């Protein structure tokens, strides 16, 4: 359940960044994911990716974007890179 909340937070950051950079279509998103634990559950990359894709399916500019998740240190996440077309 908590992975959907994090996916929504990341989705909102991606949508905001895409809008600020006037991207019509997001092709690739690179996320750094640390060890995030919430209510004794660790958020796994596969679950995060799955929930992000569900959210992205509702947004034509982000739908189908490749999601790359890289392991980082600490209990945090980073939006590292967004690639797309203007």
């Amino acid at each position: 359940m908590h992975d959907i909340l994090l996916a929504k937070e990341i989705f909102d950051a991606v949508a905001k960044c895409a809008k600020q950079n006037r991207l019509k279509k997001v092709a690739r998103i690179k996320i750094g994911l640390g060890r995030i634990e919430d209510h004794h559950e660790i958020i796994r990359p596969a679950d995060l990716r799955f929930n992000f894709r569900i959210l992205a399916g509702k947004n034509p500019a982000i739908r189908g974007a490749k999601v790359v998740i890289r392991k980082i240190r600490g209990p945090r996440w980073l939006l590292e890179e967004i690639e797309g077309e203007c």
Side-chain angles (χ1 to χ4, degrees), residues 13-29:
V14 168
K16 181 179 178 182
C17 186
K19 184 176 180 180
Q20 288 174 339
N21 289 290
R22 296 186 179 121
L23 297 179
K24 294 179 184 174
K25 183 70 177 160
V26 176
R28 184 175 174 269
I29 302 157

Side-chain angles (χ1 to χ4, degrees), residues 1 5 13 36 38 45 54-55 57 70-71 74 76 78 84-85:
M1 178 62 183
L5 299 175
I36 299 176
D38 196 10
I54 289 172
L55 294 168
R70 181 180 75 85
K71 190 174 186 176
R76 63 193 177 115
L78 298 171
E85 51 188 73

Side-chain angles (χ1 to χ4, degrees), residues 2-68:
H2 303 289
D3 48 357
I4 189 73
L5 299 175
L6 181 58
K8 174 71 169 120
E9 187 177 331
I10 294 170
F11 174 81
D12 290 344
V14 168
K16 181 179 178 182
C17 186
K19 184 176 180 180
Q20 288 174 339
N21 289 290
R22 296 186 179 121
L23 297 179
K24 294 179 184 174
K25 183 70 177 160
V26 176
R28 184 175 174 269
I29 302 157
K30 186 175 177 185
I31 300 165
L33 180 65
R35 183 181 167 95
I36 299 176
E37 187 174 336
D38 196 10
H39 298 327
H40 308 291
E41 290 182 26
I42 295 171
I43 296 182
R44 298 180 316 159
D47 295 335
L48 181 63
R49 188 179 290 111
F50 175 80
N51 285 302
F52 184 88
R53 286 185 177 144
I54 289 172
L55 294 168
K58 299 175 183 176
N59 184 315
I62 303 173
R63 183 183 307 129
K66 180 177 181 180
V67 179
V68 177

